[in-house]
Amino acid sequence: MIEKTTIPAGHGKAFILNKSQTISVINTYGTQVVDCWAFNKANTNEYMSMEASRVWSQRLNPILGDTFVTNNRNKILTIVEDTSPGIHDTFMAACDEKRYKLLGVKKYHRNCCDNLVEALKEYEINCNKPILASFNIFMNIEVQEDKKTLKTLPTVTSPGDKITLRAEMDCYVVFSSCPQDIVKIQGEFDNKPKSVEIEINQDAQTFSEIKTTNTWIPKA
Ligand SMILES: [Zn+2]
């Protein structure tokens, strides 16, 4: 059984996954970056770590089939399906209120870190120190030819592109439909935050063959 939920533009939501369950993020409009965190359900001080995952995978950014590990170096999530061009990011810190202040915003601006805190509150989890290092799904941060410089670019996804993550332990997974509307990351056109769809597969699924329709080739 598949349960569907919409995450409104600029908001976040937490989900509970049992080991082997899968959850998909669908980029409904093809322009939205989605920040993702995961926490061990039995101990939320153990969480998905981008630094430890890069050590595990020996890759700058994860690709289909890669597994994320926690700050205790246990497996937590695996990318088992990706119909997007496979461009995701682990370098950029999740946006927070300070980031928007530094960008010149005077009033409160919704942000991914507050979305994380808000989402976990629904399960009475107090995340008073939001984790900046998120898995930034569909975010296009390009490593330049000098192998040292990063370039922030709009996402290269299309409407309906989908990524599926499998839980490797019982965990909370949190997604934030990133409210960023100043730095141009949300598609090439209006840079406007949009909603995304989430599909939770209630039955454990076996992905005997990891699926991709990745056809995107970086511009020369
Ligand atoms: Zn954000």
Side-chain angles (χ1 to χ4, degrees):
M1 198 184 78
I2 292 175
E3 197 185 303
K4 295 186 182 191
T5 310
T6 301
I7 301 183
H11 288 68
K13 192 156 176 56
F15 301 88
I16 296 177
L17 291 189
N18 296 321
K19 189 181 172 182
S20 301
Q21 251 189 315
T22 61
I23 193 162
S24 306
V25 182
I26 297 155
N27 204 341
T28 318
Y29 300 96
T31 55
Q32 183 62 42
V33 167
V34 181
D35 289 30
C36 170
W37 301 262
F39 300 81
N40 179 348
K41 193 175 164 228
N43 169 20
T44 52
N45 288 322
E46 183 177 7
Y47 52 85
M48 182 165 75
S49 158
M50 292 305 113
E51 317 75 299
S53 296
R54 284 192 290 265
V55 175
W56 181 256
S57 67
Q58 292 288 301
R59 237 188 283 285
L60 297 175
N61 284 312
I63 60 166
L64 183 70
D66 279 353
T67 296
F68 292 94
V69 297
T70 66
N71 53 335
N72 287 347
R73 305 191 196 253
N74 295 314
K75 292 180 182 181
I76 188 162
L77 291 178
T78 298
I79 304 176
V80 292
E81 182 182 26
D82 190 359
T83 70
S84 82
I87 306 299
H88 312 289
D89 168 68
T90 68
F91 294 117
M92 295 310 189
C95 62
D96 57 8
E97 206 183 344
K98 183 80 184 270
R99 172 86 170 120
Y100 290 103
K101 284 217 161 74
L102 292 168
L103 287 169
V105 178
K106 300 277 184 265
K107 285 191 279 185
Y108 178 76
H109 193 293
R110 289 200 69 86
N111 60 81
C112 286
C113 284
D114 285 354
N115 283 348
L116 166 65
V117 174
E118 240 176 60
L120 286 174
K121 261 190 196 147
E122 228 186 282
Y123 294 98
E124 293 177 358
I125 297 162
N126 188 15
C127 176
N128 54 9
K129 223 166 117 192
I131 300 152
L132 284 173
S134 46
F135 169 36
N136 305 315
I137 299 172
F138 308 130
M139 191 175 192
N140 184 10
I141 303 296
E142 196 179 76
V143 180
Q144 299 301 283
E145 264 177 47
D146 64 5
K147 294 181 182 167
K148 297 170 188 160
T149 312
L150 298 175
K151 193 171 180 188
T152 299
L153 293 163
T155 180
V156 290
T157 43
S158 304
D161 277 357
K162 172 180 178 179
I163 187 170
T164 303
L165 304 165
R166 180 181 65 210
E168 304 298 344
M169 64 165 76
D170 293 354
C171 59
Y172 295 100
V173 178
V174 186
F175 298 110
S176 167
S177 195
C178 181
Q180 180 62 263
D181 54 1
I182 298 161
V183 178
K184 288 191 166 42
I185 60 166
Q186 320 279 18
E188 303 232 29
F189 308 105
D190 57 3
N191 201 41
K192 201 174 160 194
K194 297 198 170 66
S195 64
V196 292
E197 298 298 317
I198 303 295
E199 285 182 359
I200 310 171
N201 303 300
Q202 291 298 358
D203 313 309
Q205 280 194 336
T206 40
F207 276 82
S208 51
E209 209 178 299
I210 286 178
K211 295 183 280 181
T212 184
T213 53
N214 183 347
T215 52
W216 187 71
I217 298 159
K219 283 175 211 151

